[in-house]
Amino acid sequence: MVKQALQFSHELLKQSVEKGDIVVDATAGNGNDTLLLANLVGETGHVLAFDIQEQAIQNTRHRLQEHHIEHATLIHDSHSQLDRHLKTHMHKNIGGAIFNLGYLPGSDKSVITMPESTIPAIQQLLENLREGKLIVLVVYYGHQGGDKEKEELLEMVKQLDQKEFSVLEYSFINQKNNPPFLLAIEKRKAR
Ligand code: SAM
Protein backbone atom coordinates (compact mmCIF):
# COMPACT_ATOMS: atom_id res chain seq x y z
CA MET A 1 0.00 0.00 0.00
CA VAL A 2 1.24 3.51 -0.76
CA LYS A 3 1.83 5.38 2.48
CA GLN A 4 0.79 8.96 3.30
CA ALA A 5 3.68 11.39 3.84
CA LEU A 6 3.49 11.22 7.64
CA GLN A 7 3.38 7.42 7.72
CA PHE A 8 6.24 7.26 5.23
CA SER A 9 8.32 9.60 7.43
CA HIS A 10 7.93 7.10 10.29
CA GLU A 11 8.83 4.24 7.99
CA LEU A 12 12.07 5.95 6.97
CA LEU A 13 12.97 6.69 10.60
CA LYS A 14 12.32 3.07 11.56
CA GLN A 15 14.69 1.96 8.82
CA SER A 16 17.50 4.38 9.63
CA VAL A 17 17.51 5.16 13.38
CA GLU A 18 19.40 2.69 15.58
CA LYS A 19 19.40 1.85 19.29
CA GLY A 20 21.76 4.17 21.12
CA ASP A 21 21.50 7.01 18.58
CA ILE A 22 21.20 10.68 19.48
CA VAL A 23 18.35 12.08 17.37
CA VAL A 24 16.44 15.34 16.96
CA ASP A 25 12.75 16.14 16.77
CA ALA A 26 12.95 19.70 15.43
CA THR A 27 9.21 20.38 15.90
CA ALA A 28 7.93 18.54 18.97
CA GLY A 29 4.28 19.73 18.79
CA ASN A 30 2.11 17.10 20.48
CA GLY A 31 5.04 14.72 20.86
CA ASN A 32 4.09 11.98 18.43
CA ASP A 33 7.42 12.00 16.62
CA THR A 34 9.37 12.48 19.86
CA LEU A 35 7.72 9.34 21.22
CA LEU A 36 8.49 7.35 18.08
CA LEU A 37 12.13 8.47 18.14
CA ALA A 38 12.47 7.68 21.86
CA ASN A 39 11.23 4.15 21.22
CA LEU A 40 13.59 3.71 18.27
CA VAL A 41 16.74 4.85 20.09
CA GLY A 42 15.87 2.99 23.30
CA GLU A 43 17.16 3.85 26.75
CA THR A 44 20.77 3.89 25.59
CA GLY A 45 19.95 6.65 23.10
CA HIS A 46 18.64 10.18 23.48
CA VAL A 47 16.13 12.51 21.82
CA LEU A 48 16.51 16.28 21.69
CA ALA A 49 13.08 17.80 20.98
CA PHE A 50 12.61 21.48 20.16
CA ASP A 51 9.55 23.70 20.12
CA ILE A 52 9.04 27.43 20.46
CA GLN A 53 5.61 27.01 22.11
CA GLU A 54 5.34 26.25 25.82
CA GLN A 55 2.08 24.40 25.12
CA ALA A 56 3.87 22.03 22.75
CA ILE A 57 6.62 21.35 25.27
CA GLN A 58 3.99 20.54 27.91
CA ASN A 59 2.03 18.31 25.54
CA THR A 60 5.19 16.44 24.60
CA ARG A 61 6.22 16.10 28.25
CA HIS A 62 2.83 14.55 29.09
CA ARG A 63 3.03 12.21 26.14
CA LEU A 64 6.45 10.94 27.22
CA GLN A 65 5.38 10.61 30.86
CA GLU A 66 2.42 8.44 29.81
CA HIS A 67 4.98 6.05 28.33
CA HIS A 68 7.52 6.40 31.20
CA ILE A 69 10.17 7.76 28.87
CA GLU A 70 13.05 9.71 30.40
CA HIS A 71 15.72 9.60 27.70
CA ALA A 72 14.56 12.82 26.00
CA THR A 73 15.43 16.48 26.57
CA LEU A 74 12.68 18.96 25.74
CA ILE A 75 14.07 22.30 24.64
CA HIS A 76 11.83 25.38 24.66
CA ASP A 77 13.75 27.18 21.93
CA SER A 78 13.91 27.50 18.17
CA HIS A 79 15.47 24.63 16.25
CA SER A 80 17.69 27.26 14.62
CA GLN A 81 19.56 27.34 17.98
CA LEU A 82 20.47 23.65 17.69
CA ASP A 83 24.23 24.24 17.74
CA ARG A 84 23.98 26.05 21.09
CA HIS A 85 22.26 23.01 22.64
CA LEU A 86 24.59 20.31 21.33
CA LYS A 87 27.00 18.99 23.93
CA THR A 88 30.49 18.20 22.69
CA HIS A 89 29.88 14.46 22.37
CA MET A 90 26.84 15.14 20.18
CA HIS A 91 28.74 17.12 17.56
CA LYS A 92 28.93 15.22 14.23
CA ASN A 93 27.04 12.41 15.93
CA ILE A 94 23.34 12.94 15.15
CA GLY A 95 21.65 9.70 14.04
CA GLY A 96 18.58 11.26 12.44
CA ALA A 97 16.10 14.11 12.63
CA ILE A 98 12.52 14.93 11.78
CA PHE A 99 10.61 18.14 11.07
CA ASN A 100 6.84 18.43 10.84
CA LEU A 101 6.37 21.86 9.31
CA GLY A 102 3.33 24.09 9.75
CA TYR A 103 1.31 24.82 12.90
CA LEU A 104 0.50 22.87 16.06
CA PRO A 105 -2.76 20.99 15.46
CA GLY A 106 -5.49 22.20 17.81
CA SER A 107 -3.59 25.40 18.67
CA ASP A 108 -2.79 28.91 17.41
CA LYS A 109 -2.58 28.65 13.62
CA SER A 110 -0.58 31.87 13.40
CA VAL A 111 2.47 30.23 15.02
CA ILE A 112 4.02 28.47 12.06
CA THR A 113 7.44 27.22 11.09
CA MET A 114 9.31 29.81 9.02
CA PRO A 115 12.04 29.38 6.41
CA GLU A 116 14.25 31.86 8.31
CA SER A 117 14.62 29.29 11.09
CA THR A 118 13.85 26.00 9.30
CA ILE A 119 16.69 26.42 6.78
CA PRO A 120 19.46 27.30 9.29
CA ALA A 121 18.26 24.37 11.44
CA ILE A 122 18.59 21.98 8.50
CA GLN A 123 22.06 23.32 7.72
CA GLN A 124 23.21 22.81 11.31
CA LEU A 125 21.76 19.31 11.34
CA LEU A 126 23.42 18.37 8.07
CA GLU A 127 26.71 19.51 9.53
CA ASN A 128 26.23 17.27 12.58
CA LEU A 129 24.55 14.27 10.95
CA ARG A 130 26.46 10.99 10.78
CA GLU A 131 27.12 9.59 7.33
CA GLY A 132 24.36 7.31 6.05
CA LYS A 133 21.74 9.02 8.24
CA LEU A 134 18.59 10.96 7.36
CA ILE A 135 16.79 14.23 7.97
CA VAL A 136 13.10 13.75 7.18
CA LEU A 137 10.70 16.66 6.66
CA VAL A 138 6.93 16.45 6.39
CA VAL A 139 5.96 19.68 4.66
CA TYR A 140 2.46 21.02 5.38
CA TYR A 141 1.98 24.16 3.32
CA GLY A 142 -1.81 24.68 2.92
CA HIS A 143 -1.87 27.46 5.56
CA GLN A 144 -1.02 31.14 5.12
CA GLY A 145 2.77 31.47 4.81
CA GLY A 146 3.16 27.79 3.95
CA ASP A 147 3.86 28.35 0.27
CA LYS A 148 6.78 30.66 1.01
CA GLU A 149 8.38 28.10 3.28
CA LYS A 150 7.83 25.33 0.74
CA GLU A 151 9.43 27.31 -2.10
CA GLU A 152 12.46 28.42 -0.10
CA LEU A 153 12.97 24.95 1.29
CA LEU A 154 12.83 23.28 -2.12
CA GLU A 155 15.23 25.87 -3.48
CA MET A 156 17.68 25.13 -0.66
CA VAL A 157 17.57 21.33 -0.82
CA LYS A 158 17.90 21.30 -4.62
CA GLN A 159 21.25 23.08 -4.21
CA LEU A 160 22.74 20.39 -1.96
CA ASP A 161 25.74 18.75 -3.61
CA GLN A 162 24.72 15.30 -4.90
CA LYS A 163 28.16 13.94 -4.03
CA GLU A 164 27.44 14.59 -0.36
CA PHE A 165 23.66 14.30 -0.09
CA SER A 166 20.80 12.39 -1.71
CA VAL A 167 17.53 14.32 -1.62
CA LEU A 168 14.18 12.59 -2.08
CA GLU A 169 10.83 14.29 -2.70
CA TYR A 170 7.77 12.10 -2.10
CA SER A 171 4.36 13.54 -2.98
CA PHE A 172 0.92 12.71 -4.30
CA ILE A 173 0.49 14.60 -7.56
CA ASN A 174 -3.24 14.01 -8.07
CA GLN A 175 -4.54 15.06 -4.63
CA LYS A 176 -6.41 18.34 -4.02
CA ASN A 177 -6.09 20.77 -1.08
CA ASN A 178 -2.31 20.83 -0.75
CA PRO A 179 -1.63 17.48 0.90
CA PRO A 180 1.64 17.36 2.86
CA PHE A 181 4.67 15.99 1.05
CA LEU A 182 7.91 14.53 2.32
CA LEU A 183 11.53 15.44 1.82
CA ALA A 184 14.30 13.12 2.97
CA ILE A 185 17.96 14.16 2.93
CA GLU A 186 20.55 11.40 3.30
CA LYS A 187 24.13 12.26 4.14
CA ARG A 188 26.02 9.96 1.81
CA LYS A 189 28.88 7.81 3.00
CA ALA A 190 32.28 8.99 1.78
CA ARG A 191 33.80 6.48 -0.66
N1 SAM B 1 5.65 16.70 15.22
C1 SAM B 1 4.52 17.24 15.95
C2 SAM B 1 3.69 16.11 16.53
O1 SAM B 1 4.09 14.95 16.43
O2 SAM B 1 2.65 16.41 17.12
C3 SAM B 1 3.73 18.26 15.17
C4 SAM B 1 4.50 19.51 14.86
S1 SAM B 1 3.52 20.88 14.38
C5 SAM B 1 3.05 20.51 12.73
C6 SAM B 1 4.76 22.15 14.15
C7 SAM B 1 5.39 22.62 15.45
O3 SAM B 1 6.54 23.40 15.12
C8 SAM B 1 4.50 23.52 16.31
O4 SAM B 1 4.31 22.94 17.57
C9 SAM B 1 5.28 24.83 16.40
O5 SAM B 1 5.18 25.46 17.64
C10 SAM B 1 6.70 24.36 16.13
N2 SAM B 1 7.64 25.40 15.68
C11 SAM B 1 7.40 26.47 14.89
N3 SAM B 1 8.53 27.17 14.69
C12 SAM B 1 9.52 26.52 15.37
C13 SAM B 1 10.91 26.76 15.56
N4 SAM B 1 11.52 27.79 15.00
N5 SAM B 1 11.61 25.89 16.33
C14 SAM B 1 10.99 24.81 16.91
N6 SAM B 1 9.68 24.55 16.77
C15 SAM B 1 8.95 25.39 16.01
Side-chain angles (χ1 to χ4, degrees):
M1 190 193 78
V2 177
K3 295 201 162 38
Q4 299 297 319
L6 186 63
Q7 288 175 303
F8 190 47
S9 72
H10 288 186
E11 207 52 52
L12 289 174
L13 292 173
K14 285 176 191 165
Q15 285 172 28
S16 60
V17 171
E18 295 169 82
K19 293 272 181 231
D21 276 349
I22 296 162
V23 292
V24 174
D25 183 353
T27 53
N30 291 321
N32 298 312
D33 298 328
T34 309
L35 180 61
L36 172 78
L37 288 172
N39 284 325
L40 292 176
V41 299
E43 286 180 11
T44 55
H46 203 83
V47 187
L48 297 178
F50 288 82
D51 209 291
I52 50 168
Q53 292 192 75
E54 178 60 33
Q55 187 62 52
I57 295 292
Q58 280 181 25
N59 294 354
T60 301
R61 181 167 297 120
H62 288 150
R63 193 119 174 81
L64 296 179
Q65 280 168 352
E66 279 168 8
H67 293 263
H68 310 289
I69 283 173
E70 293 179 358
H71 53 284
T73 303
L74 307 185
I75 302 170
H76 185 195
D77 199 353
S78 171
H79 40 227
S80 63
Q81 300 302 309
L82 176 94
D83 270 348
R84 237 168 27 85
H85 294 278
L86 287 187
K87 301 199 175 76
T88 322
H89 67 279
M90 295 174 175
H91 284 279
K92 310 277 181 200
N93 197 23
I94 300 294
I98 183 153
F99 291 73
N100 254 243
L101 302 181
Y103 58 84
L104 178 63
S107 180
D108 183 353
K109 290 190 183 167
S110 68
V111 182
I112 56 170
T113 50
M114 309 275 275
E116 293 77 7
S117 45
T118 305
I119 289 174
I122 295 170
Q123 286 163 337
Q124 290 169 46
L125 279 165
L126 289 176
E127 185 64 27
N128 285 292
L129 198 64
R130 289 211 313 279
E131 288 178 359
K133 296 295 187 173
L134 292 180
I135 301 178
V136 182
L137 299 106
V138 181
V139 186
Y140 294 84
Y141 63 98
H143 54 280
Q144 200 173 12
D147 261 332
K148 179 173 182 287
E149 183 171 48
K150 173 189 161 190
E151 296 308 329
E152 291 188 26
L153 189 57
L154 285 174
E155 186 61 30
M156 181 251 164
V157 296
K158 280 181 192 165
Q159 311 279 340
L160 291 171
D161 185 345
Q162 68 174 44
K163 293 197 197 84
E164 288 181 68
F165 302 102
S166 300
V167 184
L168 168 79
E169 180 180 353
Y170 173 93
S171 65
F172 291 90
I173 57 175
N174 67 334
Q175 288 184 358
K176 297 189 171 55
N177 301 324
N178 308 317
F181 68 97
L182 175 140
L183 294 170
I185 309 170
E186 179 183 359
K187 189 170 196 170
R188 298 184 61 183
K189 293 190 174 143
R191 286 162 190 245

